[in-house]
Amino acid sequence: MKKYKKISIPKDGEKITVDNGKLNIPDNPILGFIEGDGIGQDIWPASKIVFDAAVKKAYKGKRKIAWMELFAGDKAVSVYGKNKWLPQETLDAIEEYVVAIKGPLTTPIGGGIRSLNVTLRQKLDLFACIRPVKYYTGVPSPMKRPQLLDVTIFRENTEDVYAGVEFKAGQKETEKLIKYINKMIPGKIRKNSGIGIKPMSEFCTSRLVSKAIQYAIDKKIDNVTLVHKGNIMKFTEGSFKEWGYKVAKKEYRDFIVTEDELWSDYNGKMPKDKILIKDRIADSIFQQLLLRPNEYSILATSNLNGDYLSDAAAAQVGGLGLAPGANIGYHTALFEATHGTAPKYAGMDKVNPGSVILSGVMMFDYIGWNKVSKIIESALKKTIKAKTVTYDLARQMKGAKKMKTSQFAKAIVKNM
Ligand code: NAP
C-alpha cells in the first residue's frame, strides 16, 4: 500500500482490486471522490447524500461505501500549495483504488496545464469517454419525441486533434514544418498557417471499439455504430472505420454481424442474439440521431466527433444538467459531471446535481451494485415527474416547484 501525504485512507473501507481482468468489490469499498471547483461544493454533498441513502436502502447496512477525499483544482492548491492543481498523489490514489468520481474542475489559467480534465484522462490513460444519453420524462426538451433517443457514446479520449500537437502560425518551427510538407506535396500549405496534427492509431482505435462492443455484449445491446469522417480524412477517420471493423471481426466474430454481412449472408434479416456493427459518416449521424434516433444504441467515435456528438445528443434530451459521464481505461474508472464549474452559482445551493448523481448511477453499475443504480434512477425519475426540480428545469416546466440543490437531493431520497 502506498503512503500518501494529504490523503486520509478510510479505516473502515477495503480496496477494490483487479484479478485476472475482473474487479473484486468488497462490501465496504473505498471510493475516491474529488469535490470539484465552483458548484462542486453544492452538488457533491447533495450527490453523496443520495448515494449513501441508496446503498443503505439496497443493502440494509450489509454494504457501505468508504469515501476517500482526493484533491484537484482550487482545493488541491489550498491543501498542497501554489500551482499544485493536480498533485501526483491524486493520480496515484485513483490508480491504486481503481474507481473514483469527480465534480467539475476549473481550467487553470497559466501554470502550463491546458485542462485538468484532459490531463487526468491522459496521465491515467482513461482512453474511453463514455456518455449515456437518454430521456427522463418531464424534462423540457426541444424534440417532439425525445424518449426515442437512448444512446451510449464511446469517445476515444487520447488522440486525434486533441493530442495537443499544434504549431502557432508565424513561428520558426511552424514555417520549417510547412516547408517540409510542401516539399512532399508542393503548394499544399499556405505560409503563415497554424498547424495541428491529427494522429489516430490502430492501437487506440481497437481498444476503444473493443470496449464499446464488450459493453454491448454485457448489456445485451444489439447494435454498435462506428462514427467517422472517412470519406474526407481517409488515413485517420477512414482507418478508424477499417480498424473498428477489423477488431470486431477478429475479437468478437461469434457475437457480431456487419451491415455488409447482414445483406450478403442474412438477406437483411438480423440473426437472433447478434450485435450489428455498422458505420456512419459523422455529419450523417447528427441527422440520424434527430430523424431516426431509435436505430442507434452505441456509437464508437473518434475524439473530436465524440465531443461534438455527446453535447448535441444531450441537448436533444434536455441539456447538460442531467448528462453523466465516465472516463475509463483498462480498469481504472473516473466518473464525472459533464458540465463545468458554473462559478456564478458557486455556494448558492441552487444548481442541478443530476449530472453527478447519474454519473454515480454509472459508477454503481460499474462496480456491479445494480440494485443501487436502479433505486437512484427510479427515485430521480419520480422526483422530476413530480416537478420538484432545480431552477434550470423549473424555468422551463409549467407548474414546477423550484428546489434548492440540497432540497432536490432530499426529495430524491424521499422518493426511494
Ligand atoms: P459551465 O460551468 O458548464 O456553465 C455554463 C452554464 O451551464 C451555467 O451558467 C448554467 O447555465 C449551466 N449549468 C452548468 N452546470 C449546471 C448545473 N449543475 N445545473 C444547472 N445549470 C448548469 O461552463 P463554463 O461557464 O463555460 O465553464 C466554467 C468552468 O468550468 C471553466 O473553467 C471550464 O474550463 C470548466 N469546465 C469544466 C468541465 C469539467 O470539469 N468536466 C467541463 C466544462 C467546463 P445558466 O446560467 O443558463 O443557468
Side-chain angles (χ1 to χ4, degrees), residues 39 43 102-109 114-117 121 131 320-322 327 336-345 350-356 390-393 395:
I39 53 170
I43 58 180
K102 67 177 268 294
L105 293 170
T106 312
T107 301
I109 300 171
R114 272 190 181 204
S115 147
L116 294 179
N117 295 305
R121 291 168 199 169
R131 294 220 191 148
L320 284 180
L322 279 171
N327 294 291
E336 68 169 359
T338 53
H339 54 71
T341 59
K344 65 182 175 187
Y345 297 128
K350 178 179 169 99
V351 295
N352 189 346
S355 177
V356 178
T390 44
Y391 85 98
D392 51 317
L393 299 180
R395 68 185 165 190

Side-chain angles (χ1 to χ4, degrees), residues 200-398:
M200 283 170 69
S201 66
E202 179 166 8
F203 175 80
C204 290
T205 302
S206 304
R207 64 183 182 170
L208 184 270
V209 173
S210 286
K211 215 173 209 18
I213 298 175
Q214 190 57 52
Y215 183 88
I217 294 170
D218 295 344
K219 299 248 171 193
K220 301 194 178 357
I221 293 171
D222 67 4
N223 66 88
V224 174
T225 305
L226 308 169
V227 177
H228 60 90
K229 189 69 188 164
N231 53 333
I232 307 293
M233 292 166 272
K234 299 191 191 313
F235 303 133
T236 48
E237 301 270 335
S239 300
F240 179 88
K241 172 182 101 171
E242 276 159 28
W243 292 326
Y245 277 121
K246 186 174 161 191
V247 75
K249 288 182 194 166
K250 195 168 156 219
E251 308 280 334
Y252 300 96
R253 185 62 277 181
D254 294 344
F255 295 91
I256 63 113
V257 170
T258 66
E259 208 165 32
D260 282 349
E261 291 163 354
L262 177 66
W263 293 99
S264 62
D265 303 352
Y266 298 95
N267 205 17
K269 200 170 174 295
M270 196 55 198
K272 230 181 138 228
D273 298 331
K274 297 268 182 189
I275 297 164
L276 179 64
I277 309 287
K278 47 191 174 178
D279 76 277
R280 295 291 180 271
I281 303 281
D283 36 318
S284 146
I285 198 73
F286 280 91
Q287 285 191 52
Q288 297 277 310
L289 287 193
L290 288 166
L291 300 174
R292 286 147 64 182
N294 48 343
E295 289 178 20
Y296 299 91
S297 300
I298 295 180
L299 305 177
T301 84
S302 53
N303 204 338
L304 178 64
N305 292 334
D307 195 2
Y308 296 152
L309 202 52
S310 25
D311 278 20
Q316 285 182 228
V317 295
L320 284 180
L322 279 171
N327 294 291
I328 302 187
Y330 292 105
H331 303 292
T332 311
L334 182 58
F335 296 83
E336 68 169 359
T338 53
H339 54 71
T341 59
K344 65 182 175 187
Y345 297 128
M348 290 170 67
D349 196 14
K350 178 179 169 99
V351 295
N352 189 346
S355 177
V356 178
I357 291 174
L358 287 171
S359 303
V361 166
M362 290 177 78
M363 179 178 73
F364 287 113
D365 267 346
Y366 188 71
I367 64 170
W369 291 15
N370 311 69
K371 221 170 156 183
V372 180
S373 7
K374 285 207 176 86
I375 290 172
I376 299 174
E377 212 183 354
S378 106
L380 179 75
K381 276 184 192 164
K382 235 169 149 180
T383 313
I384 294 172
K385 220 169 164 192
K387 299 190 176 183
T388 43
V389 290
T390 44
Y391 85 98
D392 51 317
L393 299 180
R395 68 185 165 190
Q396 302 175 69
M397 273 178 174
K398 253 198 182 142

Side-chain angles (χ1 to χ4, degrees), residues 10 19 44 64 86 101 111 124 139 151 197 212 276 370 385 414:
D19 276 340
W44 171 253
K64 192 169 181 261
L86 190 54
I101 184 163
L124 294 166
V139 174
V151 73
I197 305 263
L276 179 64
N370 311 69
K385 220 169 164 192
K414 217 170 146 198

